[in-house]
Amino acid sequence: MNDFGHLSDYFTGVAAKRLSVVEIDEKRSNQHEINGVSELKNLFGVEKLAVTARFIYLGEDEETTLRANANMTWYDARAQHPKRTEHRLYYQSNPVVTKAAPGDLMLLARRVDGEVLVIVAKRESSPENRLLWVFSLEEQADKFSVGMMSPARDKDIDFTVRTILEDLDQVV
C-alpha cells in the first residue's frame, strides 16, 4: 500500500489518438477542431463545455517541453438540428498545437476538478511511451480510444507513476 493514492483520485478519464494532418497542420486546416466522436461524450458529456485547458507538449527532453493555457470548447455543431448531433472539440491556437505534428499522440485528460489537460507527445518518444503506460492505453491509431477511470483500469500511484505525474504538474 502506498500513500500516493490512485489515478482515479486525480482523473475521471482520458482519451488518446494520433493527430492527423487536418487536425493540426494550419496549412491544411485553420478550424482548430477535432471531430468529437461518440467516445468523447463519455469524457465530456453532451452539453456545451467551455474551459481554459492546460496544454503540454512533451518532446524528448526538458528543452522541448512547452506549456500553455488556451480556451477549448466542446459543443454540438448541429444543436439546432432535431435529429442529428455532431460534437466537435474546438481549441484555441497556442504554442503547443503549433509545435505538434501529424502522428504525435494527443491525450485528453479530464481531472476530477473538471479541468482539462491536452497533452501532446512527440511520436515514438519516451514521454509518449510513459503516457501510454501510466494511463494503461494501447498503441493509438487515428481514432480516439477513451478510458474512464474505474477499478478495473485504476492504477496505484507508486513512485514511478508519481514521478511522471509530477513532470506533468499533476501531483504536488
Side-chain angles (χ1 to χ4, degrees):
M1 187 71 174
N2 65 52
D3 295 334
F4 301 134
H6 298 87
L7 281 179
S8 62
D9 295 335
Y10 301 94
F11 301 98
T12 60
V14 295
K17 76 178 296 283
R18 296 255 171 234
L19 290 168
S20 69
V21 173
V22 296
E23 292 167 330
I24 207 69
D25 188 341
E26 291 183 359
K27 295 175 191 138
R28 298 283 302 270
S29 174
N30 61 4
Q31 295 176 344
H32 300 289
E33 286 186 333
I34 296 171
N35 283 333
V37 295
S38 61
E39 290 85 359
L40 288 183
K41 290 178 187 176
N42 293 330
L43 193 61
F44 296 119
V46 294
E47 300 300 318
K48 183 176 182 175
L49 172 70
V51 296
T52 300
R54 290 183 20 189
F55 287 75
I56 303 170
Y57 179 86
L58 302 172
E60 278 295 348
D61 52 42
E62 203 170 301
E63 288 78 38
T64 57
T65 298
L66 296 172
R67 298 176 194 283
N69 291 331
N71 294 327
M72 190 178 80
T73 305
W74 168 252
Y75 70 102
D76 183 354
R78 306 253 188 233
Q80 302 306 316
H81 195 283
K83 295 183 181 178
R84 290 186 57 200
T85 64
E86 187 177 319
H87 282 81
R88 295 183 184 167
L89 186 63
Y90 168 83
Y91 59 88
Q92 187 179 37
S93 186
N94 65 74
V96 170
V97 296
T98 299
K99 178 79 173 171
D104 286 350
L105 178 73
M106 172 187 268
L107 181 102
L108 305 171
R110 188 84 190 261
R111 290 181 41 118
V112 295
D113 63 5
E115 183 177 349
V116 176
L117 298 175
V118 180
I119 305 166
V120 178
K122 181 175 176 60
R123 183 182 192 110
E124 297 178 2
S125 66
S126 296
E128 175 189 82
N129 291 333
R130 288 192 302 261
L131 285 173
L132 292 172
W133 178 76
V134 165
F135 290 103
S136 302
L137 296 168
E138 299 295 323
E139 173 60 30
Q140 298 304 300
D142 59 351
K143 295 183 180 181
F144 271 108
S145 171
V146 178
M148 302 308 290
M149 291 301 133
S150 67
R153 69 177 292 117
D154 206 358
K155 186 174 278 193
D156 286 339
I157 297 179
D158 61 13
F159 178 75
T160 304
V161 174
R162 183 175 175 85
T163 301
I164 293 168
L165 293 176
E166 284 174 343
D167 286 345
L168 297 173
D169 293 334
Q170 293 312 292
V171 179
V172 248

